[in-house]
Amino acid sequence: MTDTDDNAGAGWFAGGSPPGSEATGDEGTLRVRIVDGEADEPDDWPGLAVESGFADSRDDYYDRLHDASVAATREAVRERERADDRQLVHAVRAMDDCERTANELAERAAEWAGSLFDDAEPGIEGARAVAEREPDGELERRAVSLAARVADLAAERDALAETIERTAPAVAPNLTEMAGPELAARLIALAGGLESLAKKPSGTVQVLGAEEALFAHLAGRAPSPKHGIIYTHEYVRNTRPEDRGSAARALAGKLTLAARVDHYSGERRETLHEELRERMATIRARAEEGGDGSGSDGGGSDTDAEGDA
């Protein structure tokens, strides 16, 4: 557990403040050594720490090692949560929460407003109209106030969608161009981050969002799902049903490669988009040629996705 600077071989605690001394600002240095340190072979680190004056005893050494390790972990988590892809995950999840809550409250607001106003309409737009009314009495004030909250949540959802559209291209340019900002953000959120998405095989990316159907298939209660959330992409949704499996495999393969390029290099790679367009043109040509869609050549993209990005 040594670091790689001039104190290599002396232990991660080299130069640290002795116990009981006033803080000297070495906490950051010790955290870095905990994270980046290495040693060619083990040593009696507790004994060396006591000899150097860093710790009063072996128990004290382990206490200080625990504190430094916890501090290093907290800092790593803090940095990860502040990463752009994690912020994109928070944004898309908040957008979904706002949309779900707004729709649920809109039903309640419409039911309430309908009992008070003859021309009240259902849905978000109906709530916006009720929110602009001048209430007469306590009950109408509460109904109008609830409708206003629905309108605010809907507006927040729209604002979050605009934020995702602006942020996603900077976080994952190839994935965003290929999937669109919202789908790209959802894939990153479902995978747990851009790095996690980049490390997944294309077969997993293909069924992200279809976990319940996949588990039902594994339990023998349903057929294998052909696609998950990528069904919302026009290349899958607008392809005839018998070709959707091939389309989903092709799209998932290129989405996987796009995520890898975005994570490891961050450079736009036009060849990925050209190859996907050509592959989809081939798949859709089957309909014009009268093919039955039973071919398995759509699986070639899985092999492509496992290659180097």
Side-chain angles (χ1 to χ4, degrees):
M1 289 182 55
T2 64
D3 55 22
T4 57
D5 60 12
D6 295 337
N7 291 313
W12 65 271
F13 46 82
S17 303
S21 63
E22 296 182 359
T24 59
D26 59 3
E27 292 83 357
T29 301
L30 296 181
R31 284 200 302 269
V32 171
R33 291 176 182 169
I34 286 289
V35 174
D36 299 332
E38 61 182 22
D40 294 332
E41 58 184 21
D43 207 337
D44 182 18
W45 306 117
L48 293 174
V50 173
E51 290 178 8
S52 69
F54 176 77
D56 289 334
S57 63
R58 300 177 76 89
D59 288 342
D60 183 42
Y61 165 81
Y62 285 116
D63 288 340
R64 300 196 68 180
L65 173 61
H66 173 269
D67 293 342
S69 299
V70 170
T73 301
R74 285 176 176 169
E75 184 64 23
V77 171
R78 187 179 298 111
E79 291 179 0
R80 178 172 176 78
E81 283 300 308
R82 290 175 178 172
D84 290 340
D85 64 326
R86 294 300 304 174
Q87 296 303 309
L88 192 61
V89 170
H90 289 309
V92 73
R93 288 176 177 171
M95 181 184 71
D96 289 344
D97 289 342
C98 286
E99 182 172 6
R100 182 182 64 254
T101 305
N103 287 330
E104 291 176 355
L105 287 179
E107 294 181 8
R108 173 60 57 197
E111 184 177 350
W112 194 353
S115 68
L116 296 171
F117 312 115
D118 293 337
D119 56 348
E121 298 291 335
I124 301 296
E125 292 304 318
R128 289 193 175 109
V130 172
E132 296 176 355
R133 286 179 173 272
E134 287 295 332
D136 182 14
E138 177 64 18
L139 291 177
E140 287 191 4
R141 278 196 295 272
R142 297 278 58 81
V144 169
S145 177
L146 178 60
R149 299 299 181 271
V150 172
D152 289 343
L153 280 171
E156 184 64 27
R157 188 270 176 210
D158 294 341
L160 286 166
E162 293 177 359
T163 297
I164 291 170
E165 289 182 2
R166 292 192 300 268
T167 305
V171 175
N174 290 284
L175 186 65
T176 300
E177 181 176 344
M178 191 174 290
E182 186 172 321
L183 178 56
R186 292 188 186 283
L187 288 169
I188 292 173
L190 286 169
L194 180 58
E195 180 178 3
S196 179
L197 180 63
K199 292 180 178 180
K200 291 187 181 300
S202 61
T204 300
V205 174
Q206 182 177 338
V207 295
L208 280 176
E211 287 77 13
E212 290 186 7
L214 181 60
F215 292 150
H217 165 67
L218 294 176
R221 300 193 304 270
S224 174
K226 294 181 178 180
H227 42 65
I229 196 172
I230 64 172
Y231 173 77
T232 61
H233 195 288
E234 62 173 341
Y235 280 168
V236 180
R237 185 181 66 253
N238 294 337
T239 298
R240 63 177 185 163
E242 52 265 45
D243 288 331
R244 282 178 187 162
S246 295
R249 286 193 296 273
L251 177 59
K254 296 308 179 185
L255 288 173
T256 302
L257 288 176
R260 291 176 183 176
V261 172
D262 288 337
H263 175 65
Y264 293 108
S265 73
E267 299 177 355
R268 183 182 180 279
R269 190 168 295 182
E270 176 59 28
T271 55
L272 286 176
H273 308 284
E274 292 178 353
E275 291 169 358
L276 177 60
R277 288 192 290 268
E278 292 174 0
R279 182 75 191 107
M280 293 307 305
T282 300
I283 292 173
R284 290 183 171 181
R286 294 175 184 169
E288 299 177 2
E289 297 170 359
D292 61 5
S294 60
S296 60
D297 53 348
S301 60
D302 289 338
T303 303
D304 294 341
E306 299 305 323
D308 294 335

